[in-house]
Structures are given as C-alpha cells and as structure tokens.
Amino acid sequence: MATSSPCVVIGDDEKGYDLDLFCIPKHYVDDLEKVYIPHGLIMDRTERLARDIMKSMGEHHIVALCVLKGGYKFFADLLDYIKALNRNSDKSIPMTVDFIRLKSYCNDESTGEIKVIGGDDLSTLTGKNVLIVEDIIDTGKTMKTLLSLLKQYNPKMVKVVSLLVKRTPRSVGYRPDFVGFEVPDKFVVGYALDYNEYFRDLNHICVISETGKQKYKA
C-alpha cells in the first residue's frame, strides 16, 4: 500500500552526526554511536505532517489515539502543531485524545500477537474518525493486528501516522498513511524511543552503541 504522504528517506550509508556537535546528556555519551535525526529536523518534519493530516482529515472530528509508551513525545508535538493550525488557519477541526498501550513481544522478539494492556475501551471509537499516532513501524505486524482489532468496533475512518518506518527484510509490507522518516534497519533510540526504558529522555534520535546495549541489557 503506497503512503499518501511523502517522507524523508535516510539512506543505508547515512553516517549521522558526531555527538559532540549536539547537546547530549552526559549519562548517555558513551552509550550512543551517532546523532541520526537531530531534534530540530524532527520538529520541522512533524510540523509538515500536521499540515498534511489537516488537509486529509480536516473535514472531520478526529480522535487522536496515542500508542504508548514510545509515541508520547511525537504525539504531544504533533498535536501542538495541529492546535496551532486550528488557531491560525481558516479551517479548524475539533480533536479529542485517547491512549492505548500494547504489548507485542516476549523479551526482544515480537510475537505478532498484541495485547491491549492499557487505555480506554476501544468501543468508544465506534463511528469516529481515528488517527493512530505511533513512534516507529518495524515489521508492521503489530499495526496490522491493531487495525484489524479496531475494525471490530466500526470506526468511520482510520489513518495511521508514524514518525519512523524501518526498512527491514522482516517487514510484512505494511505502510502507514503518513510517515515522518524512513530509516535503515538499525536500533535507534531517543525522542521517547527506548531501549529497555532508557533513552526516552534524549531529544535527538540516535543510534545506540554496543556499550549502551550491554549497559542497559534487561
């Protein structure tokens, strides 16, 4: 399925930026290889995604559904930009928010089976226009399963926005409606993406180092 929103494609040979060019928390300096997507670039891209979403879904009341925990930062920033558009343009849309927490893995392996372990009853989404906000699509299995789960509650429309989509041979071919960045098959952290709950407090999206993987291993 082709994405209706073009995205920034980061090539396999992208080297990233040296850590000492940016403000990195001291406790993470040895745990990261490179800054991959600087915070400012994330924010600019998110602003554009907000505009594209308004253009596509702007005739409707939207329920923005945040997939926790990794999606919370992108969700908050995206909604801030949509609220700014509501204030400053001719077209504005009423928006309500909801949260869902999923479990889709055993240790570090995705099972492809998802359990909803937090959030409201999905029946509140019946007849609504739903925008699912996700931090990263890896294989796409979790999102496909979530979409089929939502379908049972008959929402009027469902669109998905993901900050990142990973280029991986493990992909089932799922592509969201709106994509921020397409990234190579590397383990990235920061901007609320975690490694065993660490690195959520990092502004930039970075590639974790082997030292970091060992230090924060569960």
Side-chain angles (χ1 to χ4, degrees):
M1 182 171 63
T3 176
S4 59
S5 174
C7 69
V8 178
V9 177
I10 296 176
D12 291 339
D13 54 353
E14 173 58 55
K15 299 287 187 284
Y17 305 91
D18 288 342
L19 299 177
D20 56 10
L21 295 172
F22 294 89
C23 295
I24 303 288
K26 279 198 169 53
H27 55 275
Y28 286 145
V29 166
D30 297 331
D31 309 324
L32 303 166
E33 279 181 15
K34 293 279 185 181
V35 171
Y36 215 49
I37 311 176
H39 185 250
L41 185 55
I42 297 168
M43 296 303 282
D44 274 15
R45 183 73 191 113
T46 302
E47 184 176 17
R48 179 54 199 254
L49 285 171
R51 210 166 84 187
D52 292 346
I53 287 162
M54 282 282 278
K55 202 171 171 183
S56 171
M57 301 181 77
E59 306 301 323
H60 316 276
H61 168 182
I62 295 176
V63 180
L65 183 65
C66 175
V67 181
L68 294 171
K69 292 181 183 174
Y72 80 84
K73 191 84 185 73
F74 176 48
F75 183 76
D77 289 335
L78 181 69
L79 260 59
D80 279 347
Y81 283 124
I82 290 175
K83 286 189 290 189
L85 287 167
N86 274 343
R87 292 193 302 271
N88 300 312
S89 61
D90 295 336
K91 188 158 72 171
S92 73
I93 48 173
M95 179 170 269
T96 51
V97 301
D98 208 341
F99 299 88
I100 191 169
R101 192 161 167 212
L102 308 173
K103 188 171 174 61
S104 65
Y105 53 86
C106 177
N107 296 321
D108 59 351
E109 290 294 315
S110 177
T111 60
E113 292 176 32
I114 63 169
K115 288 180 188 156
V116 178
I117 58 169
D120 288 347
D121 181 356
L122 293 176
S123 63
T124 58
L125 302 176
T126 302
K128 302 281 174 55
N129 301 295
V130 182
L131 176 69
I132 301 173
V133 183
E134 176 67 287
D135 56 348
I136 186 165
I137 303 280
D138 195 330
T139 63
K141 282 181 193 167
T142 300
M143 187 54 70
K144 280 191 89 163
T145 311
L146 174 59
L147 287 168
S148 62
L149 195 63
L150 279 182
K151 207 172 179 182
Q152 297 168 24
Y153 296 93
N154 296 314
K156 189 174 169 189
M157 174 201 297
V158 179
K159 299 266 187 184
V160 179
V161 56
S162 184
L163 178 64
L164 305 177
V165 168
K166 204 177 267 193
R167 251 189 334 275
T168 168
R170 299 182 308 282
S171 171
V172 294
Y174 170 74
R175 188 90 178 176
D177 303 282
F178 306 99
V179 180
F181 301 86
E182 186 186 289
V183 296
D185 197 3
K186 296 184 185 209
F187 201 96
V188 289
V189 294
Y191 191 69
L193 282 88
D194 76 304
Y195 178 78
N196 292 329
E197 296 302 326
Y198 291 91
F199 302 103
R200 293 196 198 275
D201 54 338
L202 177 65
N203 266 349
H204 314 288
I205 290 175
C206 300
V207 178
I208 191 172
S209 66
E210 285 306 316
T211 313
K213 281 184 190 173
Q214 290 308 311
K215 190 198 277 191
Y216 299 111
K217 205 173 184 181

